[in-house]
Amino acid sequence: MSNKYVLVINSGSSSLKFAVINSVSGDAVLTGLGECFGLEDSRMSWKYQGNKQEVSIVGEENHHQLAIGKLVGIVAEYDLTDAIIAVGHRIVHGGEKFTKTVQIDEQVLKDIEAVKELAPLHAPANVIGIKAALAAFPTLPQFAVFDTAFHQTMPAKAFTGAIDKTLYDQYAIRRYGFHGTSHYFVSREAAKMINKPVEESSFISVHLGNGASVCAIKNGKSVDTSMGFTPLAGLMMGTRCGDLDPSIIEFLLNKGWTTEQVFETLNKKSGFLGVSGLTSDARGILEAMEEGHEGATLAFQVFTYRVAKYIGSYMVALDNLDGIIFTGGIGENALLIRREILKYLKIFGYKENEAADADARFGAEGIITTADSPVAMVIPTNEEFVIAQESVALMA
């Protein structure tokens, strides 16, 4: 059983991330990334047992197919071909059609393509990756695991927009939420940490990375989340603005901006990057803040304040709260950011255990609050493991 692996593929518009995951332990024996597709420096790198390699991907087009073709060779080179029992695909948007993992067939592929209006950047790339993988691994069962599926348990009061209902009826405009596999995974791990059945546990999961979202989880199920119709809503992020008065869009259009300029700015030039005028990387923000950079300091303040506000508001969605979970690259590693968020939550009784908080970084998990405080914890996420587990479970 321990030698049964799942190849997990995350196909982006100009990238392809992959991992070969042990379906029992969650350990990754091979990880890799194809990136900069369509550019001169298109390349592919991978790591096997600590050894990293990189090659250029030469070709004018079909970079996803080229990358997966190279992946087939890499898998064979490390004698993993026969050990892989399935391929699991991370799919960003499942609309209302997909509420759980499904095995991929022609109809599923058509249904994923049908929601491309809801995820114009991600859905076409997801489909390209699936088609390339089906051609490369024709004998393996392949599964689609949806970022939005975990949030399909939200009640109507949480996912319904306060807009003309015909917009929902005609165009399915509503809150969908993302990072579902991450929120799902860490909530299960958190329940183990407090020794309580997940079906009886409630958490506020805080996934902080270049993309960031908060999720209220009641008795193991998502009941509200900060991302919305698209991943642009909610928290301030690396380059995304998060929540914004929609009249600002009209204002900019009236100033002569094109819709492309508006959404390019809101998606790629806002967040940490926009506020600081410096970088989208939280590590760079913290370093610059230590050196007295005013823009970086303001970005830190806006980010932590908004995260704390969302956490506070999501207590309304729960009958009780077993813990706040920090996860994602920033949530797992940025001590100063966690510390500042907990300071904002002192009105609710949260007290940081400074030593425990400092220890819970760089892959380590743990409770980071004092014994006389409500619980906050750090749990490293493992979305690839969720995809592998769900694929194997569906096979069974």
Side-chain angles (χ1 to χ4, degrees), residues 185-248:
F185 176 80
V186 297
S187 61
R188 271 66 192 158
E189 294 300 302
K192 294 176 189 174
M193 186 179 288
I194 64 171
N195 195 28
K196 192 173 179 181
V198 70
E199 298 82 7
E200 299 172 12
S201 304
S202 294
F203 302 102
I204 295 174
S205 174
V206 186
H207 179 110
L208 304 179
N210 191 50
S213 66
V214 180
C215 181
I217 300 169
K218 183 176 182 179
N219 299 327
K221 296 181 178 180
S222 172
V223 292
D224 207 346
T225 191
S226 59
M227 284 181 168
F229 182 64
T230 74
L232 186 59
L235 301 177
M236 167 181 162
M237 306 176 218
T239 63
R240 298 179 196 141
C241 62
D243 290 342
L244 184 78
D245 181 344
S247 292
I248 293 170

Side-chain angles (χ1 to χ4, degrees), residues 8-63:
V8 175
I9 293 176
N10 182 358
S11 181
S13 57
S14 61
S15 66
L16 188 136
K17 185 180 179 182
F18 62 88
V20 177
I21 304 290
N22 185 308
S23 61
V24 176
S25 69
D27 295 333
V29 295
L30 172 70
T31 60
L33 175 68
E35 56 187 330
C36 300
F37 293 174
L39 303 176
E40 289 183 4
D41 60 343
S42 177
R43 60 191 179 274
M44 189 165 174
S45 59
W46 64 95
K47 186 181 290 186
Y48 178 74
Q49 294 183 345
N51 298 315
K52 187 173 181 179
Q53 297 188 53
E54 182 171 302
V55 295
S56 295
I57 303 176
V58 181
E60 295 296 321
E61 53 188 21
N62 300 325
H63 284 83

Side-chain angles (χ1 to χ4, degrees), residues 193 326 331-333 335 338-339 342 351-362 364-371 376-379:
M193 186 179 288
F326 290 99
E332 295 168 25
N333 301 305
L335 178 62
R338 292 200 305 248
R339 179 167 291 159
L342 288 176
K351 301 176 186 176
E352 180 197 14
N353 180 328
E354 292 189 6
D357 203 4
D359 288 341
R361 290 184 291 169
F362 315 125
E365 66 178 28
I367 293 173
I368 61 172
T369 43
T370 59
M377 62 187 82
V378 175
I379 297 180

Side-chain angles (χ1 to χ4, degrees), residues 289-330:
M289 187 176 72
E290 291 292 318
E291 296 169 0
H293 190 284
E294 290 184 7
T297 301
L298 180 59
F300 170 85
Q301 292 171 341
V302 173
F303 180 76
T304 52
Y305 178 59
R306 287 191 174 197
V307 173
K309 281 205 301 180
Y310 254 103
I311 292 172
S313 69
Y314 276 10
M315 293 185 184
V316 173
L318 305 174
D319 295 329
N320 58 78
L321 178 60
D322 291 299
I324 296 169
I325 309 165
F326 290 99
T327 192
I330 296 172

